[in-house]
Each structure stands twice: as C-alpha cells, then as structure tokens.
Amino acid sequence: MSVTSVGIIGAGQMGNGIAHVMALAGYDVVLNDISAEALEAAIARIDKNMARQVSRDLISADDMQNALRRIKSSQDVVEVGQTDLVIEAATENEEIKYKIFEGLVPHLKPDTILTSNTSSISITRLASRTDRPEKFMGFHFMNPVPLMKLVELIRGIATDDATYQTCLGIVNALDKTAASAEDFPAFIVNRILIPMINEACYTLYEGVGNVASIDAAMKLGANHPMGPLELADFIGLDTCLAIMNVLHDGLADTKYRPCPLLTKYVEAGWLGRKSKRGFYDYRGEVPVPTR
C-alpha cells in the first residue's frame, strides 16, 4: 500500500504534533477540526515548534518552509476522506470517536487505511463501527510527538498484515521506533504508566506525601525526568482518568480503581496545564503545588 497523503482528524496537541512530523517526513497533510480557531492555533503551534527546531539546527529553514506548504487545514471531512491514511486524534471519548468515523466512512477512498491515535480504547471495537476493520488499526503517538521516538502499533482482531506493514513503514519513515501491542485496554505504555500516576494520586490522597515530596521522590529516587503528578498535569487529568476507567471497566480488577482525588480534580475542572490548574497551579510565573 502506497501512502503519500495523510488526513488527521483533531487539531489539538496530538493532532498538530502528528501533522508536524508527517509534513517534515514528506507526506501531504490535511489537518481537520470542527473549529476554525483550533486549526488556526494548530498551524501557529506547528510554525513555532518548527522554528524552534531550526534554531537548534535540527532541521533547515528550507525543510520548515517545505513542510509548512504540505499542510492544509480544513473543516471539511470530505477532504480528509481523499487521503491515503487517516489518523483520528480526537479526544479520548469512545462515543465521539464513533461519531467521527460515522461521518467519515462514506467519504473514504476504497483503499484508505483508517487508524486511531487512541491511548486506551479497544481497536477491535472501534474498527467494528467502520466499513473496513481489516484496514483499521491503532496508531498511538506519544506526547510531545516531535520529540518522542515511540509509536505503538495496535492490531485489532481483523487488521490484515498489509495494513500493519504499511503503518510500520510509515513509523520508520518518521525516524521513530514502533512497539507492537496486542489489543488489550491501554496497550503497553499506558497500561504501565497511568496506574503509576493513579498510585501517586492515592499516595497524595492518603497523606503519605504532598505534591512536592511525591514528585521529588520519583525524580531523585527513581531518576524519572518528571514526577508522576507533574506528568499527570502535562498529560491532562481528564485523559488520565479516562484511561483508568478503561482499565477498570475492561479488566474488572480493583487495582485499577481510579483514585477519588483524581476524580475530584477532574470534576472541579482542574485538568492540569491546559486549564492552568491541576496538581500544580500554573497561573503565576512558577508552578505552585495545590496540595
């Protein structure tokens, strides 16, 4: 299967990062979102991030200009359907993803590969809501996409080998490394990472340590580059909670019960960096722990 064009649905943090690396690798990109403002912000973010790469001599100014020319923003899903590969990168909500696929499928070319950047939801279940389960798979990038070298490739029960090999080739073309995961809740990275974050939430909830001491303990005691609560704020507490719920519902094991404090923060709208408050308050010059 030959892929020269890529459609990306969702212009948020993940979507604009995927557009960034795809365009730099030479693919023509259609970046889609229902919000014109989100598309405008995404293009500005890509421009800023590529300029940072130029300043660090990671890419040339010509590379940047050529890549930016390859990116087209669109609110029309019909344009996305005419690409060779579609990557759905919307919010981690199963019903929203179903609605996206329902609106997209009638406009897809017969050979278009359809993928999801979901971080936890069943690929088999998502694929069953499309007309091409054999050409559907999980294509899970890590955040921030331009910096992180891993991509999880997840086959559903019906995914054929040609689809997998095509996506593997694209990962290699992006100069990233593929980790093949089976279709179990949260796959590999988040099956390990998010329960660790949830346990850090319990450690805070039970008063074992405060935010600063928990993060310092894991950074200095386990050599983690970010503490688990700082990382949760970076990921988004709503995303962490959604993944924990997928694990708890999908595996029916009490060890995956979401921490009540994590739920409380999400209910308060304290979602981390994107809402300016989470386990840290980001409204001042320096982040301040909220507990």
Side-chain angles (χ1 to χ4, degrees), residues 191-202:
R191 171 76 177 263
I192 298 167
L193 176 65
I194 301 301
M196 183 198 75
I197 288 174
N198 194 54
E199 195 62 31
C201 295
Y202 269 114

Side-chain angles (χ1 to χ4, degrees), residues 157-288:
I157 195 169
T159 307
D160 63 29
D161 193 58
T163 297
Y164 171 79
Q165 292 298 334
T166 300
C167 290
L168 179 60
I170 292 167
V171 174
N172 293 334
L174 297 175
D175 194 28
K176 294 187 184 292
T177 299
S180 295
E182 293 301 316
D183 187 20
F184 286 91
F187 320 129
I188 296 172
V189 172
N190 285 323
R191 171 76 177 263
I192 298 167
L193 176 65
I194 301 301
M196 183 198 75
I197 288 174
N198 194 54
E199 195 62 31
C201 295
Y202 269 114
T203 305
L204 178 64
Y205 178 59
E206 294 168 6
V208 180
N210 60 26
V211 169
S213 62
I214 292 167
D215 278 351
M218 294 308 292
K219 283 192 284 189
L220 302 178
N223 205 28
H224 289 193
M226 295 173 73
L229 301 175
E230 181 186 7
L231 180 57
D233 277 356
F234 180 75
I235 294 168
L237 303 193
D238 52 341
T239 300
C240 293
L241 179 59
I243 295 170
M244 283 309 301
N245 281 324
V246 167
L247 283 164
H248 191 235
D249 295 344
L251 298 172
D253 192 324
T254 55
K255 74 179 181 179
Y256 297 115
R257 184 172 71 97
C259 178
L261 183 61
L262 176 60
T263 301
K264 189 69 71 181
Y265 268 67
V266 173
E267 288 174 344
W270 292 20
L271 308 181
R273 286 183 176 270
K274 61 187 173 186
S275 66
K276 302 296 184 184
R277 276 193 291 187
F279 291 112
Y280 293 85
D281 189 326
Y282 300 93
R283 293 173 297 175
E285 289 185 12
V286 178
V288 177

Side-chain angles (χ1 to χ4, degrees), residues 88 92-98 101 105 114-133 136-138 183 187:
E88 171 272 313
E92 192 70 351
N93 180 297
E94 196 161 339
E95 290 304 316
I96 289 174
K97 293 180 189 297
Y98 287 153
F101 295 138
V105 163
L114 188 53
T115 69
S116 176
N117 184 59
T118 178
S119 51
S120 62
I121 298 168
S122 167
I123 298 303
T124 298
R125 201 160 60 237
L126 291 175
S128 72
R129 301 293 284 265
T130 76
D131 66 341
R132 60 196 65 211
F136 190 105
M137 68 180 297
D183 187 20
F187 320 129

Side-chain angles (χ1 to χ4, degrees), residues 35-50:
S35 165
E37 292 78 13
L39 287 169
E40 187 177 331
I43 297 300
R45 172 63 64 181
I46 293 167
D47 191 298
K48 181 179 178 181
N49 287 342
M50 285 189 183

